Amino acid sequence: CSSDLEGVIVRAHAVEVVYEVAYGGVSLDVVLGDCTGQLEKNDLALLKELSFGTLRWFWRCKGVIEQLVARPLKKRDRIIEAVMAVGIYQLEHMRLPPHAAIHATVQTCATLDRTGFKGFVNAVLRNFQRHRDELIQTLPESGRSAHPAWLWQAIRNEWPEHASSIIEANNTRPPMTLRVNTRAVSVTRYLEALRAERIEAVPLEHAPSAVVLSRPINLERLPGFEQGWVSVQDASAQLLTELISPVSVQRVLDACSAPGGKLTHMLEAFPGLEVQAVEVDSERARRIEENLERLRVKANVLVADAANPDQWWDGRPFDLVVLDVPCSATGVIRRHPDIKVLRRLSDIDRFSEVQKRLLNRLWRMVKPGGHMIYVTCSILARENQEQVNKFLQRTRDSREERFQLPLGLARRRGWQILPNPQGGDGFYYAVLRKEY
């Protein structure tokens, strides 16, 4: 019937998404963006469930496949590994009758022009169904927890007391957290508006503008979204404004600004700020402009490389530089499960050099007595407290300012929030003051 065919087609799309990410090195957002216009809304929801879920559990699926497949597939047939991974994810994590999940997955072989592999895929999936517990228990702990070995080891080494909760958070679907624009509507009023639409939500005590939905919904269902009442932003990211004093801040640089969540939050919380936002990617800069317009706030958005200020800076110093640096994103894996598949240990060296360069080049733009807030969505010390400590050691006019946030942990340098299954994402903050 047509619905069965549609299910096969959606699964074939999911296989292609997983294949492009896991074997082509393309980000999940990019691949899914190419599929958005090809599917109906319900089919797109299933595609996202299969794609996000399979990539979230990819290393476990891959470990199982390696046990069940005697010889590695030829390079031209590697897409069949993605077929099997999608099938294993359905059998382990989705509420589908096993025979239906296996049948629909096997049929994708024909859709993907790999008809000859139907029997092979069917045998592997049925073997997994029969021996699931034994196969999973045979995996190393990193494989059972669906993490690459290097990342699993890094988490265990750096956060021995918190490793289990971090790994659990990384394998959990993230909450949908909103930031209420309190210039337009109070949190109490917005919760009432949600209840009127039968949308369950609760406020968060540690983030005064935050509301968490009991389950994710489409943006168009949010009351007042187009009118600028609310934005989607994780609670940990919302804590940036807790570090800003409006009394001493007028002129702000938001470097590496996209997608603009922290920028728009600053403008909502502190009306009258003069903000220069810099983003190197023109498409991402366009998204910043769209968010500014929707929320009815203003900033000057410049498409430029923040690491090359000589090309765009007018020489006027800033009271505050918000430097949200490119990083490993190991604190936001639950929102971007492809990070576990795409990221390599060697990438940490590359990110560390970029962070060092940005710190050095943007520090001269901070006026004496002004501040820089250094931000990452990483949980790795090399990108966080070690990076800040090295900067302080080599920069004579820099001082760290200590602070406390309502959640997280004080580090030797800065403040670390860890990803939590019931809480926010992993973020790191440090506040640096420029001496006179």
Side-chain angles (χ1 to χ4, degrees), residues 147 151 170 329-340:
H147 281 63
L151 180 57
N170 289 349
T330 44
V332 294
I333 284 173
R334 62 183 180 174
R335 296 190 188 279
H336 304 281
D338 52 327
I339 290 166
K340 287 197 289 186

Side-chain angles (χ1 to χ4, degrees), residues 59 139-160 162-168 170-171 330 333 339-340 343-345 379-380:
W59 291 106
L139 295 172
E141 193 171 348
S142 60
R144 286 200 302 276
S145 68
H147 281 63
W150 75 266
L151 180 57
W152 179 86
Q153 195 62 58
I155 293 170
R156 302 290 300 184
N157 290 346
E158 294 200 23
W159 302 104
H162 303 276
S164 295
S165 64
I166 293 171
I167 288 167
E168 181 186 351
N170 289 349
N171 290 336
T330 44
I333 284 173
I339 290 166
K340 287 197 289 186
R343 198 69 73 234
R344 301 287 183 268
L345 177 59
I379 61 169
L380 303 179

Side-chain angles (χ1 to χ4, degrees), residues 215-368:
R215 60 180 60 85
I217 62 173
N218 292 326
L219 292 180
E220 57 263 29
R221 285 194 61 202
L222 290 173
F225 182 78
E226 291 300 329
Q227 291 73 40
W229 290 8
V230 69
S231 300
V232 178
Q233 187 181 36
D234 182 76
S236 298
Q238 293 187 38
L239 294 176
L240 171 70
T241 55
E242 301 293 306
L243 306 177
I244 299 173
S245 169
V247 177
S248 58
V249 175
Q250 180 61 39
R251 182 169 154 79
V252 178
L253 171 65
D254 183 19
C256 313
S257 184
K262 298 180 187 68
L263 166 65
T264 53
H265 193 194
M266 282 192 290
L267 294 167
E268 290 170 5
F270 307 115
L273 287 183
E274 178 192 344
V275 183
Q276 171 72 69
V278 176
E279 171 54 47
V280 70
D281 185 280
S282 59
E283 180 60 28
R284 285 163 63 83
R286 186 182 63 78
R287 287 176 58 197
I288 297 174
E289 297 275 18
E290 290 172 353
N291 283 324
L292 290 168
E293 183 177 356
R294 183 179 63 83
L295 294 165
R296 295 165 174 78
V297 290
K298 293 183 179 181
N300 181 35
V301 180
L302 187 65
V303 179
D305 184 356
N308 292 312
D310 291 341
Q311 297 178 3
W312 54 267
W313 183 40
D314 63 5
R316 295 168 59 208
F318 294 91
D319 302 307
L320 172 65
V321 172
V322 177
L323 181 54
D324 191 347
V325 293
C327 70
S328 63
T330 44
V332 294
I333 284 173
R334 62 183 180 174
R335 296 190 188 279
H336 304 281
D338 52 327
I339 290 166
K340 287 197 289 186
V341 179
L342 295 173
R343 198 69 73 234
R344 301 287 183 268
L345 177 59
S346 57
D347 292 333
I348 310 305
D349 289 335
R350 177 170 56 85
F351 284 121
S352 183
E353 284 303 310
V354 172
Q355 293 152 8
K356 178 181 177 181
R357 185 165 66 250
L358 284 164
L359 277 163
N360 289 342
R361 293 185 178 179
L362 298 188
W363 184 247
R364 65 190 177 100
M365 304 169 73
V366 181
K367 77 174 188 181

Side-chain angles (χ1 to χ4, degrees), residues 154 158-159 328 330 348 352 355 374 376 378-390 411 413 416 428:
E158 294 200 23
W159 302 104
S328 63
T330 44
I348 310 305
S352 183
Q355 293 152 8
Y374 176 83
T376 80
S378 169
I379 61 169
L380 303 179
R382 276 195 64 193
E383 301 179 279
N384 296 343
Q385 61 171 338
E386 290 178 14
Q387 185 72 265
V388 169
N389 191 52
K390 289 177 182 177
R411 308 299 286 160
R413 301 293 188 188
Q416 180 73 61
Y428 174 84

